[in-house]
């Protein structure tokens, strides 16, 4: 019966708990991230309802200071952006909380306001464009993609862990290339777990070439240091010294560049990894 | 800045924690239910990803026995259904776990397989139709609606707490009336918290009349006793003695009827409430 009326649920449900155990978990299997796309606008009163309406996972608690923190994180991004608009070749915004998982109308992935998207929009509004966003965090920048995927005037490229295996799962697949006026101005390059610097730089070459060919004149970088081999929640094999090469390749695009800090969870190594990445911009004109 | 780039998130985020406290909660605000509609099919490997792909909330843990329990609950519904197909005027399936929040491809709301939908489909397949489903649980039967909302051959009617204030929030609004071939064969009657039997029976009159006018020849009832005034998670004011009147009005539709048990959380009163509901069918031909 179930195979007829609900074949997908049945097949999933039969194997779900065993898969949970096989993944090294204990207790009951439970979800924490959901594919919330193309939602209908609803007028909902209850805070519980609105929490779901404005988020896509259970990883983004709202504390009393969340708004203030998110607000000033975005202001930090804008300060860096303004420095570049003012003539600095590169500026780095040490944003906390990060932003690239937050969409125009949803929170998620420890992100509340999309700092990179906010900065890119201001660069666009200031006439500095065409603006491209390059996301080199370990995770796909689903929020940024959602904000711009139907727009042809801002390019979004992301190199990230394959969403078939890694958060945020429901976005960042290679066949997501933009829609409507934005068709062709989204580029997703999913990479397998274990990716090392050589393969990473090859993907970066592809992304940089596409951005250059598109005619970008301004670049916003979503930089995550969670591609680091020692990151506790990620699975690439980028070493500390590799970050300089990643930074250098982006610097070689020779565009005014605002760098926005995203993820990075190996706290002890984080400063060194970020510094090494930024060192790649040292020779930038 | 945020008001321009992400006005919805900003407005929500500013007030979210205060609203959480105002609702009597403590600590950080966090979501547990998400509007997962019109999802794209994706091939996802990780169990974490698949849990989100096949659910819409964090209230439906999968334990080692979940599949077996859900399977036999559905079989219970089918046993009742077969009794009615075999000539019994009414049969009651004491299903656990319940089913009406589960869609064809998602779990949620303590539901894994949609017992009522599975029963209705078999009645339809057996030629007993046209089949209508009447959902009188406190909560909207979002899974049942999703399964049949685009079909014109099975009618779905639900009387439930207004989803603006009550779970499952993202379904069951009055303007959801079916789509495509199913346009007009979904009826949602949201009721305010505090609804008493008089108002409830008026709504039931509307639902029963619509089902009769549509030409139903077979009825599946999703019955929840969580409309009870003493239910710990619900907010209607139906008293134990009222359930007989609800049952009697449904019995007066004079259709072969399979009753499927859904919610009901006032455990001490549950048996009496169910018995009173079923007593309404005593005089049914
Ligand atoms: Zn990340
Ligand atoms: Zn219920």
């Amino acid at each position: 019966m179930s195979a007829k009326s609900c074949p997908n649920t049945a097949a999933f449900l039969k194997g779900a708990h065993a898969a949970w155990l096989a993944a090294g978990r204990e207790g009951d299997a439970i979800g924490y991230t959901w594919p919330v796309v193309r939602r209908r606008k609803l007028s909902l009163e209850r805070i519980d309802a609105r929490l779901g309406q404005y988020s896509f996972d259970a990883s983004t608690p709202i504390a009393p200071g969340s708004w203030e923190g998110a607000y000033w994180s975005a202001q930090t991004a804008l300060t860096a952006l303004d420095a570049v608009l003012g003539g600095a070749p590169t500026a780095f915004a040490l944003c906390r909380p990060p932003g690239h998982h937050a969409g125009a109308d949803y929170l998620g992935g420890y992100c509340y306001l999309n700092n990179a998207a906010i900065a890119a929009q201001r660069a666009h509004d200031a006439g500095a464009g065409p603006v491209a966003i390059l996301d080199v965090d370990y995770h796909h920048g689903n929020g940024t993609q959602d904000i711009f995927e139907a727009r042809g005037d801002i390019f979004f490229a992301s190199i990230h862990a394959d969403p078939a295996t890694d958060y945020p799962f429901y976005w960042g697949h290679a066949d997501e290339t933009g829609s409507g006026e934005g068709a062709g101005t989204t580029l997703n390059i999913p990479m397998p777990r274990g990716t090392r610097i050589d393969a990473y730089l090859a993907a970066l070459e592809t992304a940089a070439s596409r951005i250059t060919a598109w005619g970008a004149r301004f670049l916003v970088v979503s930089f995550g240091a969670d591609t680091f081999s020692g990151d506790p929640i990620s699975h690439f094999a980028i070493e500390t010294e590799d970050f300089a090469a990643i930074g250098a390749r982006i610097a070689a695009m020779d565009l005014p560049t605002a760098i926005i800090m995203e993820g990075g969870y190996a706290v002890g190594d984080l400063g060194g990894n970020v510094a090494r990445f930024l060192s790649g911009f040292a020779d930038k004109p």
Side-chain angles (χ1 to χ4, degrees), chain A:
Chain A
M1 60 75 209
S2 58
K4 182 171 181 179
S5 291
C6 42
N8 296 327
T9 302
F12 168 70
L13 184 56
K14 279 180 196 172
H17 193 263
W20 182 254
L21 295 181
R25 310 303 179 76
E26 299 176 345
D28 297 343
I30 191 80
Y32 54 81
T33 307
W34 285 267
V36 290
V37 291
R38 284 163 292 164
R39 292 170 297 177
R40 174 178 177 227
K41 284 192 177 170
L42 289 169
S43 181
L44 300 173
E45 297 169 24
R46 191 159 144 196
I47 183 61
D48 308 69
R50 291 166 59 79
L51 283 164
Q53 188 177 27
Y54 288 107
S55 68
F56 74 93
D57 70 11
S59 306
T60 313
I62 302 177
S66 294
W67 162 252
E68 192 177 24
Y71 176 84
W72 287 109
S73 187
Q75 293 298 335
T76 302
L78 288 175
T79 300
L81 192 278
D82 286 347
V84 181
L85 290 179
T90 310
F92 172 60
L94 183 46
C95 294
R96 280 295 173 266
H100 74 146
H101 294 306
D105 62 356
Y106 61 77
L107 325 173
Y110 326 144
C111 298
Y112 301 82
L113 297 175
N114 193 311
N115 306 313
I118 289 168
Q121 181 63 46
R122 181 182 285 191
H124 175 84
D125 292 344
V131 176
I133 302 168
L134 173 61
D135 190 318
V136 292
D137 186 274
Y138 178 80
H139 305 95
H140 179 251
N142 59 294
T144 316
Q145 173 171 306
D146 272 356
I147 290 169
F148 297 117
E149 71 91 29
R151 287 175 54 174
D153 53 1
I154 292 187
F155 195 102
F156 175 71
S158 181
I159 303 167
H160 51 269
D162 189 342
T165 56
D166 280 77
Y167 185 97
F169 306 130
Y170 316 111
W171 297 263
H173 300 265
D175 62 348
E176 296 165 22
T177 55
S179 68
E181 294 183 4
T185 62
T186 292
L187 172 65
N188 283 301
I189 309 181
M191 304 290 287
R193 288 184 174 199
T195 289
R196 307 174 74 87
I197 187 62
D198 287 359
Y200 194 92
L201 287 175
L204 183 56
E205 190 61 40
T206 299
S209 300
R210 280 285 303 278
I211 288 171
T212 298
W214 178 69
R217 293 185 54 208
F218 195 99
L219 184 65
V220 172
V221 176
S222 273
F223 171 61
D226 48 4
T227 51
F228 177 52
S229 63
D231 193 90
I233 68 168
S234 306
H235 304 275
F236 279 176
I238 305 299
E239 304 301 338
T240 293
E241 54 268 32
D242 297 334
F243 282 106
I246 296 171
R249 180 59 190 91
I250 297 171
M253 294 170 74
D254 199 19
L255 294 169
T257 301
I259 302 167
I260 314 296
M261 190 71 204
E262 303 289 357
Y265 307 97
V267 178
D269 295 286
L270 186 56
N273 290 335
V274 172
R276 209 61 64 94
F277 176 75
L278 295 176
S279 76
F281 291 83
D283 295 330
K284 185 170 168 233

